[in-house]
Amino acid sequence: DWEVQYQQDTPVAPRFDVNAPDLYIPAMAFITYVLVAGLALGTQDRFSPDLLGLQASSALAWLTLEVVAILLSLYLVTVNTDLTTIDLVAFLGYKYVGMIGGVLMGLLFGKIGYYLVLGWCCVAIFVFMIRTLRLKILAEAAAEGVPVRGARNQLRMYLTMAVAAAQPLLMYWLTFHLVR
């Protein structure tokens, strides 16, 4: 069951529902990603505080750009959803967990380990995003009883697929230069 539990029209707190989005894992993963990037740069004798700051600010800028693009897309497609900005940040922040695994395996096993672990994590985040966002973005249409083949629902499904497809691309873009 991938749906968030509700109690009197409000979502249940994350400590009572494993499917409720919270920012603990994404925030810790973001910080850990920056530290692991520093470790990777340090093992290659390329570390500098400026590069570490650049790593953190570029990852944060991409996350912000993603959130703004999704919110704009939801507005343009006229999707009424209970998906908040904080929920989006939480869902989009899970990609950092896979990025950490990929970079660590790249440090331990080279390019082969990096590509194997990052590939598996990319598939996992793709499936997670589709299953999670589909429930949020298509929930309004299901409540209205609109047929799945409708033009608006196809736009919603394309939006869900685009968000899910962007995650592996960003995971690769933010980590490929850290593994040699």
Side-chain angles (χ1 to χ4, degrees):
D1 182 24
W2 285 68
E3 291 187 24
V4 175
Q5 304 300 319
Y6 285 89
Q7 183 178 23
Q8 299 172 352
D9 294 336
T10 59
V12 176
R15 68 178 156 192
F16 300 119
D17 182 14
V18 295
N19 294 324
D22 65 345
L23 288 174
Y24 179 75
I25 293 173
M28 292 298 111
F30 180 82
I31 293 167
T32 306
Y33 161 70
V34 173
L35 295 175
V36 168
L39 175 69
L41 291 170
T43 59
Q44 299 165 10
D45 293 327
R46 298 187 305 155
F47 178 81
S48 76
D50 293 339
L51 279 178
L52 195 62
L54 183 65
Q55 233 10 74
S57 60
S58 67
L60 190 60
W62 278 108
L63 181 65
T64 305
L65 183 68
E66 262 187 297
V67 169
V68 168
I70 293 169
L71 289 174
L72 181 65
S73 299
L74 288 172
Y75 175 74
L76 292 175
V77 179
T78 62
V79 174
N80 293 330
T81 181
D82 62 347
L83 191 64
T84 64
T85 305
I86 299 296
D87 291 345
L88 272 177
V89 172
F91 291 140
L92 297 174
Y94 284 116
K95 75 172 149 282
Y96 297 112
V97 175
M99 291 164 54
I100 293 165
V103 172
L104 286 176
M105 289 302 115
L107 290 174
L108 293 175
F109 301 109
K111 289 261 187 202
I112 299 292
Y114 167 73
Y115 284 117
L116 283 175
V117 171
L118 190 72
W120 183 81
C121 290
C122 285
V123 169
I125 196 74
F126 183 79
V127 170
F128 168 76
M129 292 301 281
I130 287 177
R131 291 189 66 144
T132 304
L133 290 180
R134 182 175 50 106
L135 292 173
K136 295 282 189 178
I137 293 175
L138 293 175
E140 174 201 0
E144 293 174 356
V146 178
V148 178
R149 298 280 185 230
R152 284 187 63 187
N153 278 352
Q154 280 188 329
L155 280 175
R156 291 174 184 168
M157 200 61 200
Y158 290 148
L159 177 61
T160 304
M161 294 292 285
V163 171
Q167 300 311 299
L169 295 174
L170 284 169
M171 288 172 72
Y172 176 74
W173 179 256
L174 292 171
T175 58
F176 78 95
H177 63 281
L178 297 174
V179 178
R180 298 228 177 213

